[in-house]
Amino acid sequence: MPARTVLILQHVEVEKPGLILEALTGHGLDVDIRHLGAPGALPAAAGLAGLVVMGGPMNADETDVHPGLKLERDLLAEAVRHGVPVLGICLGAQLLARALGLEVADRARTGQDTELGWAPLLDTDPADPVVGPLAGVPGVLHWHGDRIVPAADTAVLARTETTPCQAFRAGPAAWGLQFHLEVTPELLDEWLAEPSFAAEAEEALGAGALDRLRADARAAAPALRAAAARGLGHFRDLVLDRAGLPRPAGGAWVRPATGADATRLTELVRTSAAYEGAYAPMVETYEVTPGYVAQHEVHVAVAEDGRVLGFYGLVTDPPELDLMFVADDAQGLGIGRLLARHMKERARAAGLTEVRVVSHPPSEGFYRSMGARRVGTVPPPPPEITWERPELVIPL
């Protein structure tokens, strides 16, 4: 069987994979996130479906202080040799560069200050499937002092005024990104809640730094999320190919819903062809509210152009799949299976062992195909519902 594990190496608790994890979740992959402290054994690269190495404050050459960095560099070199899809972020990009024999220069050598803040990339290679979608995005998050020194033959994909190599590619399946593609406004809030991060930001940007960083993150988020989804979708597809798993139809991906999605999700429910005729009264006044989205695990499947293809709402206490809808024009594309896999992974991550679902009668076959078993029948609560509904349990 092909390997299905994506190994994510995380050096700092708050430097989480963010949008990268979103892109990988819900496709049948096993994501192994390791928080690195003391050095320890790492798996052989040949047995991985993908490798992601996150950022951190250390220098890529501080192998005497952080012996685990040498293990990571060796693993990255091995992964590139075996054609494993690789993504390095900030420190991870610098470790990949060192694994390939490139230099990483510190601030004393470059004479450049820390590059910190939201700013656009320059000279982005539009042909690159991972970095190319970021061309024209108003800002990505930069937060680094050391800089990769590209060789004459390095495939440099983007730069900024003070950093000549913001992104590079090694062969067909390995990328190093000096900037933080993964960061959402919510993840940035976690960073800035850390005293060391906040102090570094204020030292680099001065008074009001934290508020400016948060405001810039919110302004950049819509365009960045859409562009990152396309780029990370390509990386995910390479991982799925190596794992022997199907690519999602039409490049669909799943992201957390926001309050701004509530109106569209309500429309999707009320106009669903699955609730025509006798079933129509059940949904004609139904509303998905911003409060519902904020309170529960609500995730939407979207196309590459941002169009909503479907969504689910998972209640964790008590555990129940409360809602799952696929847009009429997205039926038959595998969106329901994508959402179901994603829901299962989120439920397992929440510590659940099974999820209850009271099914719309015509949907029982779908849930059974996803592994659900029927445990009973729910009587109708009139007046909106006048028919019995099957009660099922989805084991996790």
Side-chain angles (χ1 to χ4, degrees):
M1 291 290 292
R4 294 189 174 183
T5 297
V6 181
L7 178 63
I8 300 180
L9 302 180
Q10 188 173 324
H11 304 94
V12 179
E13 177 63 30
V14 295
E15 292 204 38
K16 301 173 182 177
L19 293 178
I20 300 169
L21 184 59
E22 283 187 22
L24 296 171
T25 300
H27 302 280
L29 296 164
D30 298 321
V31 179
D32 179 3
I33 301 178
R34 299 200 183 183
H35 303 267
L36 299 177
L42 295 174
L48 298 175
L51 174 62
V52 178
V53 182
M54 301 304 300
M58 55 282 289
N59 179 280
D61 286 318
E62 289 182 324
T63 54
D64 54 341
V65 181
H66 304 284
L69 297 179
K70 176 63 166 60
L71 301 179
E72 293 181 60
R73 282 164 48 170
D74 291 345
L75 180 63
L76 285 162
E78 183 187 354
V80 172
R81 285 197 301 271
H82 285 279
V84 177
V86 169
L87 187 62
I89 302 295
C90 200
L91 172 61
Q94 295 166 2
L95 291 169
L96 176 61
R98 294 297 290 120
L100 298 173
L102 300 177
E103 289 186 66
V104 175
D106 61 19
R107 282 163 283 197
R109 179 178 167 190
T110 64
Q112 298 285 358
D113 292 331
T114 295
E115 185 174 24
L116 199 159
W118 292 85
L121 298 169
L122 304 176
D123 295 335
T124 305
D125 184 348
D128 184 79
V130 170
V131 178
L134 298 169
V137 169
V140 297
L141 180 62
H142 306 278
W143 198 313
H144 68 98
D146 300 340
R147 287 161 170 85
I148 296 164
V149 181
D153 60 350
T154 302
V156 176
L157 306 174
R159 67 174 183 88
T160 53
E161 291 293 350
T162 66
T163 303
C165 183
Q166 278 286 353
F168 70 95
R169 185 179 65 249
W175 285 264
L177 309 182
Q178 183 63 77
F179 55 94
H180 289 276
L181 178 66
E182 79 281 11
V183 171
T184 63
E186 296 77 18
L187 183 51
L188 181 64
D189 284 340
E190 293 189 41
W191 285 24
L192 298 181
E194 290 290 322
S196 62
F197 280 69
E200 185 177 359
E202 289 171 339
E203 180 181 354
L205 302 177
L210 307 191
D211 288 341
R212 291 202 305 277
L213 285 168
R214 292 188 180 102
D216 289 347
R218 291 192 296 271
L224 178 59
R225 181 181 281 277
R230 294 195 296 274
L232 293 173
H234 177 80
F235 177 76
R236 173 207 60 211
D237 288 348
L238 294 179
V239 174
L240 292 174
D241 291 347
R242 183 172 174 84
L245 293 168
R247 294 186 177 193
W253 58 290
V254 180
R255 62 165 174 81
T258 69
D261 294 312
T263 298
R264 174 66 186 110
L265 302 187
T266 296
E267 178 187 14
L268 195 156
V269 171
R270 292 183 181 180
T271 61
S272 173
Y275 285 85
E276 292 179 339
Y279 294 123
M282 183 176 178
V283 298
E284 61 187 8
T285 60
Y286 193 88
E287 183 178 7
V288 180
T289 66
Y292 179 91
V293 171
Q295 184 177 0
H296 302 300
E297 283 269 359
V298 184
H299 293 259
V300 296
V302 296
E304 287 187 337
D305 61 4
R307 182 168 48 93
V308 174
L309 303 175
F311 78 101
Y312 72 82
L314 173 66
V315 177
T316 57
D317 187 20
E320 180 172 356
L321 178 60
D322 186 42
L323 297 170
M324 181 177 284
F325 281 81
V326 175
D328 292 342
D329 60 358
Q331 297 288 334
L333 299 179
I335 304 304
R337 290 191 296 275
L338 174 63
L339 288 168
R341 287 195 301 267
H342 193 279
M343 180 277 298
K344 288 181 178 181
E345 292 183 22
R346 294 296 298 177
R348 290 190 198 103
L352 305 181
T353 58
E354 63 180 24
V355 172
R356 174 179 183 260
V357 57
V358 178
S359 173
H360 183 45
S363 300
E364 181 178 3
F366 166 77
Y367 290 118
R368 285 181 174 271
S369 74
M370 294 293 105
R373 68 178 188 276
R374 186 161 182 170
V375 295
T377 300
V378 177
E384 291 85 0
I385 302 175
T386 59
W387 58 90
E388 294 182 338
R389 292 173 293 164
E391 180 182 11
L392 304 105
V393 167
I394 304 172
L396 303 174

